[in-house]
Amino acid sequence: MHATEKLAAALAQYDGVVAKVVDFDAVADKLYSLDLTAANTELDPDMVADTAAFSQYIDRKLAENNCRYAIGGYMEHRTIYARSAHFDTEDEPRRLHLGIDIWGDAGTAIYAPLDGTVHSFQDNDNFGDYGPTIILEHNVAGLKLYSLYGHLSRTSLSGLAEGQTISVGQQVATLGDADENGHWPPHLHFQLMLNIGDAKGDYPGVGKYSEKGKLLANIPNPGLLLQMGDIIKA
């Protein structure tokens, strides 16, 4: 059974509340589906390598389509990771995106979708990396679940402690800008995991395409928790 199926089954038995991750009005807010695969010929390597130009491209798409957020990415095979050596390995470069990205303004509030505790946090300060990152731990009808929030502001890490109780709907972070979020256009990388081993404050958000089957067994589709319409429920 894939991780998405396990989480869906647990949520069907869950008697708690699932809250929004970002402010979103299903009636008033539109979502732009952002394709970051090779099929998007508007994006060339030079633009993606230039954080300012990449940010301008996303801002333009949001404005042209009258959208508050751009979204997408779960199990998307992305060529854009060639912009950073962080994703290169000797045998096979990592290009398979494991979470869902929500692209919006720096400073956008991020909320906990479930009751939980702070598992870990750290600033992954490398070009192309997560920047400030928070991992929460949850219990969904007996299923242990971890949620990861990457590309945050540095102030999001202030005052946190491992084991700290987090309530559903509580604001846990804000989006960082390119100077602090790993040098990306402002966005949230939201990812779920069933098992993270001994990882602390970091967990791969991009994997090898050849290992997709193994990754699907551990990493559920975050669209199950994001209350943002069918566009992200793969």
Side-chain angles (χ1 to χ4, degrees):
M1 182 184 292
H2 284 172
T4 297
E5 296 171 307
K6 291 180 181 177
L7 179 57
L11 285 170
Q13 302 298 319
Y14 184 60
D15 59 4
V17 175
V18 178
K20 62 190 177 184
V21 173
V22 296
D23 289 309
F24 178 75
D25 184 328
V27 176
D29 290 328
K30 294 170 58 182
L31 295 172
Y32 179 73
S33 181
L34 183 62
D35 182 356
L36 296 181
T37 71
N40 185 351
T41 56
E42 291 184 323
L43 284 174
D44 59 58
D46 289 340
M47 180 189 294
V48 171
D50 183 333
T51 303
F54 193 9
S55 297
Q56 290 168 5
Y57 169 81
I58 293 174
D59 289 344
R60 184 173 72 252
K61 286 299 180 182
L62 290 174
E64 289 174 352
N65 293 278
N66 192 30
C67 292
R68 186 175 181 183
Y69 304 106
I71 197 162
Y74 177 65
M75 294 296 164
E76 185 175 71
H77 193 213
R78 292 179 169 179
T79 54
I80 66 165
Y81 293 120
R83 77 192 293 262
S84 170
H86 179 66
F87 300 103
D88 290 336
T89 54
E90 290 184 3
D91 56 338
E92 177 190 351
R94 294 186 294 131
R95 298 290 185 263
L96 187 67
H97 190 251
L98 306 179
I100 283 179
D101 287 334
I102 303 174
W103 308 79
D105 294 335
T108 294
I110 308 300
Y111 306 94
L114 301 163
D115 284 327
T117 58
V118 175
H119 173 271
S120 53
F121 55 94
Q122 71 180 23
D123 189 352
N124 299 290
D125 189 17
N126 304 297
F127 182 83
D129 207 336
Y130 284 135
T133 308
I134 298 172
I135 299 176
L136 303 182
E137 182 176 335
H138 315 276
N139 185 312
V140 182
L143 179 71
K144 184 175 286 188
L145 180 71
Y146 299 90
S147 58
L148 181 148
Y149 311 80
H151 309 299
L152 307 176
S153 63
R154 289 205 170 97
T155 58
S156 299
L157 305 186
S158 299
L160 288 182
E162 291 185 8
Q164 178 180 339
T165 298
I166 299 294
S167 299
V168 60
Q170 178 179 334
Q171 183 176 335
V172 294
T174 56
L175 289 189
D177 60 30
D179 291 332
E180 59 187 348
N181 74 356
H183 301 278
W184 289 95
H187 73 288
L188 172 69
H189 176 94
F190 179 60
Q191 183 172 317
L192 304 177
M193 299 82 63
L194 301 185
N195 187 339
I196 60 174
D198 59 0
K200 288 289 189 80
D202 189 15
Y203 190 88
V206 183
K208 297 177 181 178
Y209 189 79
S210 65
E211 297 179 350
K212 184 175 181 179
K214 180 176 72 174
L215 294 165
L216 283 168
N218 187 50
I219 300 174
N221 184 347
L224 291 176
L225 293 186
L226 292 176
Q227 301 176 35
M228 301 179 77
D230 293 335
I231 189 173
I232 53 176
K233 293 182 179 177

